[in-house]
């Protein structure tokens, strides 16, 4: 399956294929980095965002650093909290 992040305000941000193969880790990292950039641009700290998503702050920090990868429901909640919509698009 192919996943793209679409900012609600307009243009799609293609991020590639989401999967569980090791070669796809780079794609997931791109998504995480894009969400981190958006959080910083909006001036939201990790503690506030973690509360909004319903997780603890150290967990979010591990996602942003790439030490852990979020499950899809958490990734969707994270994207939505920053004004993005995660859409599953068939390959």
């Amino acid at each position: 399956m192919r996943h793209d992040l679409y900012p609600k305000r307009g243009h799609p941000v293609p991020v590639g294929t989401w999967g569980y193969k090791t070669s796809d880790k780079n794609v997931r990292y791109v998504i995480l980095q894009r969400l981190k950039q958006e959080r910083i641009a909006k001036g939201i700290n990790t503690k506030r965002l973690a509360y909004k998503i319903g997780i603890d702050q150290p967990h979010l920090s591990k996602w942003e650093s790439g030490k852990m990868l979020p499950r899809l429901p958490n990734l969707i909640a994270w994207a939505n909290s920053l004004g993005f919509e995660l859409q599953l698009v068939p390959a």
Side-chain angles (χ1 to χ4, degrees):
M1 297 194 113
R2 187 175 159 198
H3 302 251
D4 292 57
L5 286 176
Y6 290 89
K8 288 185 179 175
R9 61 186 170 275
H11 308 288
V13 180
V15 292
T17 306
W18 183 276
Y20 295 99
K21 299 176 187 171
T22 54
S23 61
D24 293 333
K25 283 187 178 180
N26 291 337
V27 173
R28 288 182 271 178
Y29 184 75
V30 169
I31 294 170
L32 300 177
Q33 290 306 301
R34 179 69 176 100
L35 292 174
K36 180 180 179 179
Q37 289 171 358
E38 189 66 20
R39 175 188 63 77
I40 292 168
K42 291 184 178 206
I44 302 171
N45 64 32
T46 55
K47 186 174 182 178
R48 183 172 155 209
L49 181 59
Y51 177 78
K52 209 172 175 181
I53 299 171
I55 60 166
D56 44 337
Q57 186 271 335
H59 214 93
L60 179 61
S61 294
K62 288 179 183 176
W63 292 350
E64 287 189 343
S65 68
K67 292 180 182 176
M68 287 178 57
L69 296 173
R71 293 184 180 187
L72 190 55
N74 291 332
L75 183 62
I76 291 169
W78 185 6
N80 289 343
S81 70
L82 292 172
F84 286 88
E85 183 180 14
L86 187 68
Q87 295 184 349
L88 305 177
V89 181

